[in-house]
């Protein structure tokens, strides 16, 4: 069986009957986490992919086999993407200087330099087998012996070089035998896969050449390259029944000494001293307890001397430590180069009351009976969390401090977390493990600083990261009850951006040889210049022929148009409540909203963040104008309002109020307070129009909001963890839902009924719910739904939820 879970819902385990006949020896995720390789002791390899892009629905469609030859190492081919994270540039304002793209060649390229997908495996008999995925879905496979004299391979690991080659390290398991290294080149010749192998310098472990330890550690139990993109540093662990020793080796280029006979001849111009590649030991540990598992950091920090010095000065430790799990249940984090101890975690079986420095490990009383210890250990992408599986089949998630337990002032800690949040934002990795270290009191400062850093980037990068930063802010705001209402605003902003870009994409220029601006850009430009509060006067300045669409797409998008109309009404009707509390606070939208929640607790209602956000209000204004024009062509697409008077022009009224509010906040530097007449008019709104109850935010049933405390949380597979006390606190009433309330499809903006019968899917990050199958037949709505096939609005992954729970 293969079991797959996502960390936000660790109780919701998806178990697959793998179809493997023997014990699974290797599991390997691809870079995106959407595909998984499994290999067994019979040489079978299977490739698993998400079915319908759901994290709890998987299927295997591809596979390869080396019948009867157990697989001991497995890896996806490299796609040529490599980033470096520069700790010494963490103070820089430019993301490009903090995180730079390193020149790195893919293992194999298709026409045009596109990386070819596939995987590579090493078998116990010394074979290397490669499977390549052709664009048409076919699989090309080939096998080759690692060297002419095939021998037993007990342990192996795979790394990649910048030139596109693959390096395999292999050992027969005996510490007195050499650790061999091989260069593997993969190519496609005449539609066939070809593998070339070459022997590289090998090494003997230091402990076997040491007379004191010669026979003390007979077996090599762990062999790993320090990172998969660095084939020049390797970690080796040799063990006996009683203990282990770990060594770190590095491949160096050294000058070759020349015999004295040749020393005196006159050198030829430009002649260099011959060099040779040689393995040199970097560091070794003293005798340790018996090692049961090793985890290596994934954070790509550059390990130049400058970086290491800056890291030690600033106490920035993520990516510097590797983790060793021991048979007594403890875990030690060692510096990846010097192998000195940076931190210790005492497992439950070795007395969790113990703390480093209480007494040496040798003196601690060992409990009777078999101890619980980790069989497998893995770092998260930013190295701030460790996931481990113990010998009793329990899954553990361990928080790893960014400063490795050293005392830090709040500003330094915030700077470290901000640096890693920016890294996740740029790379697209999930920032779940960074959130583990964010206390509720830090949320305000982190969101504010993240916004400041983002505003310093160039326009192009801001555009690329525009939705990702909103998603990061939303997940941060959920961690504190004081900022929970802001999470609703960020979610609404994501939906607003998506609807705006979709509606504008429907516009087509009337004639083909138009100037460089699209109709959407012209609409934005005219709306920003024209400050008229009368919607019809703004409309006159537009070329209405560019807005002519046939009926069906307009009618099918009515539910999105309705959301925009309801949202404007909600904002304007709530303006008097929000302004009443907004006295003497900073003028910046982000700062004002967050500080207000800090000072007044639960006063702020969802929507406050928009009242000073000139950019979002301007976007709403553009859409109102566009909807007004479409309403002339197809009245059925207009938003429906319940008005108390028959002759009231609801859209015109809302546009007038919205424009007045927009004029107050469009100058980012000097926003003004809304004047008395505007507030009075907004006070009258509920008596003129029925204000909808906006079903703001999906309820996030994930675990991250409950992990801020220091007490460990115990969960059980198959039993959903309820969040006790979360719905009862008044600060987070925005999350509470009464049992009889209508359920929303948050992406289609439809009501699904009180007890939906349709199968649904929910976002693992924000909890956004939408139906699995589309109820729509029109192309315009299907295009909208296609945007969210792989990911949610916030970029999170989808999980299927049963109809009874949706």
């Amino acid at each position: 069986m293969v079991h797959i879970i996502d960390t936000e819902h660790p109780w919701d385990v998806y178990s697959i009957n793998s179809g493997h006949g023997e014990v699974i020896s290797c599991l390997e995720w691809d870079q995106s986490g959407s595909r998984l390789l499994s290999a067994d002791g019979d040489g079978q390899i299977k490739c698993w992919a998400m079915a319908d892009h759901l994290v709890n629905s998987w299927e295997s469609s591809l596979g390869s086999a080396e019948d009867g030859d157990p697989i001991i190492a497995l890896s996806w081919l490299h796609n040529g993407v490599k980033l470096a994270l520069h700790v010494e540039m963490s103070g820089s304002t430019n993301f490009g200087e903090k995180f730079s793209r390193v020149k790195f060649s893919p293992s194999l390229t298709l026409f045009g330099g596109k990386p070819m997908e596939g995987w590579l495996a090493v078998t116990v008999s010394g074979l290397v087998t490669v499977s390549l995925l052709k664009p048409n879905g076919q699989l090309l496979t080939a096998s080759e012996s690692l060297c002419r004299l095939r021998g037993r391979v007990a342990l192996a690991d795979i790394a990649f070089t910048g030139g596109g080659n693959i390096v395999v390290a292999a050992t027969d398991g005996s510490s007195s035998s050499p650790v061999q290294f091989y260069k593997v080149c993969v190519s496609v010749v005449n539609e066939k896969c070809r593998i070339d192998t070459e022997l590289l310098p090998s090494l003997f472990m230091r402990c076997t050449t040491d007379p004191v330890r010669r026979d003390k550690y007979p077996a090599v139990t762990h062999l790993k390259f320090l990172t998969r993109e660095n084939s020049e540093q390797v970690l080796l662990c040799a063990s006996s029944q009683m203990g282990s020793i770990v060594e770190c080796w590095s491949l160096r280029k050294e000058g070759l000494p020349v015999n004295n006979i040749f020393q005196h001849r006159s050198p030829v111009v430009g002649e260099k001293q011959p060099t040779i590649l040689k393995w040199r030991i970097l560091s070794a540990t003293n005798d340790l307890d018996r090692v049961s598992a090793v985890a290596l950091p994934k954070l790509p920090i550059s390990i130049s001397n400058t970086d290491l010095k800056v890291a030690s000065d600033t106490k920035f430790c993520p990516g510097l430590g590797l983790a060793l799990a021991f048979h007594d249940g403890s875990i030690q984090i060692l510096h990846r180069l010097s192998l000195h101890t940076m931190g210790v975690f005492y497992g439950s079986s070795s007395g969790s009351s113990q703390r480093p420095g209480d007494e040496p490990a040798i003196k601690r009383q060992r409990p009777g009976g078999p101890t619980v210890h980790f069989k497998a250990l893995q770092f998260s992408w930013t190295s701030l969390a460790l996931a481990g599986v113990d010998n009793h089949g329990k899954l553990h998630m361990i928080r790893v401090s960014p400063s490795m337990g050293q005392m830090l002032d709040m500003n330094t800690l915030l700077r470290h977390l901000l640096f890693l949040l920016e890294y996740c934002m740029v790379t697209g990795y999930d920032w779940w493990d960074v959130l583990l270290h964010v206390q509720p009191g830090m949320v305000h400062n982190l969101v504010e600083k993240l916004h400041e850093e983002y505003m310093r980037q160039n326009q192009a990068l801001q555009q690329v990261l525009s939705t990702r930063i909103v998603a990061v802010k939303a997940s941060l705001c959920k961690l504190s009850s004081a900022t929970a209402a802001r999470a609703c605003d960020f979610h609404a902003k994501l939906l607003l951006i998506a609807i705006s870009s979709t509606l504008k994409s429907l516009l087509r220029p009337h004639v083909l040889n138009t100037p460089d601006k699209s109709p959407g850009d012209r609409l934005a430009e005219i709306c920003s210049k024209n400050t008229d509060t009368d919607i019809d006067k703004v409309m006159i300045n537009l070329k209405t022929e560019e807005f002519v669409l046939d009926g069906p797409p307009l009618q099918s998008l009515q539910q999105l148009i309705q959301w925009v109309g309801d949202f404007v009404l909600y904002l304007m009707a709530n303006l008097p409540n929000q302004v009443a509390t907004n006295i003497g606070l900073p003028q910046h939208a982000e700062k004002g909203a967050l500080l207000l929640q800090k000072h007044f607790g639960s006063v702020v209602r969802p929507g406050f963040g928009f009242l000073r956000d000139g950019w979002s209000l301007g976007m709403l204004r553009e859409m109102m104008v566009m909807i007004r024009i479409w309403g002339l062509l197809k009245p059925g697409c207009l938003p429906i309002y319940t008005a108390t008077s028959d002759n009231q022009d609801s859209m015109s009224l809302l546009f007038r109020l919205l424009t007045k509010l927009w004029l107050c906040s469009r100058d980012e530097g000097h926003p003004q307070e809304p004047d008395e007449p505007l507030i009075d008019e907004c006070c009258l709104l509920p008596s003129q129009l029925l204000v909808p109850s906006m079903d703001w935010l999906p309820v996030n049933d994930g675990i991250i909001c409950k992990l801020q405390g220091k007490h460990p949380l115990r969960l059980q597979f198959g039993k959903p963890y309820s969040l006790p006390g979360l719905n009862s606190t008044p600060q987070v009433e925005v999350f509470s839902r009464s049992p009889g309330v209508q359920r929303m499809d948050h992406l289609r903006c439809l009501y699904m009924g009180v007890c939906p019968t349709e199968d649904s899917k929910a976002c693992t990050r924000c909890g956004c719910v939408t139906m699995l199958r589309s109820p729509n037949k029109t192309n315009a709505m299907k295009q909208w739904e296609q945007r969210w096939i792989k990911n949610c609005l916030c970029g999170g992954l989808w999980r299927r939820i049963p109809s009874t729970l949706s």
Side-chain angles (χ1 to χ4, degrees), residues 64 163 278 372 526-527 545 574:
S64 60
K278 204 166 187 180
V372 176
I526 288 166
C527 287
E545 63 269 14
N574 276 283

Side-chain angles (χ1 to χ4, degrees), residues 207-282:
C207 62
T208 57
T209 57
D210 178 355
V212 181
R213 294 195 178 103
R214 178 170 293 165
D215 303 315
K216 195 171 179 183
Y217 302 111
V220 180
T221 50
H222 297 90
L223 159 66
K224 300 226 180 209
F225 286 107
L226 274 184
T227 64
R228 66 188 210 111
E229 279 120 0
N230 183 356
S231 59
E232 294 172 4
Q233 282 180 333
V234 70
L235 188 83
L236 295 160
C237 172
S239 305
S240 66
Q241 286 299 317
M242 299 310 296
S244 300
I245 191 164
V246 174
E247 297 177 0
C248 184
W249 289 73
S250 176
L251 190 63
R252 303 274 172 86
K253 199 177 268 189
E254 294 183 359
L256 201 61
V258 181
N259 192 290
N260 290 339
I261 299 172
F262 303 104
Q263 292 285 8
H264 304 296
R265 73 181 180 86
S266 55
V268 179
V269 178
E271 187 180 50
K272 292 177 184 170
Q273 184 188 10
T275 57
I276 189 170
L277 285 170
K278 204 166 187 180
W279 285 99
R280 288 280 179 208
I281 190 160
L282 274 180

Side-chain angles (χ1 to χ4, degrees), residues 47-63:
C47 175
W48 302 87
M50 285 186 196
D52 302 322
H53 307 286
L54 299 168
V55 293
N56 54 357
S57 184
W58 294 76
E59 58 190 11
S60 170
S61 54
L62 291 165

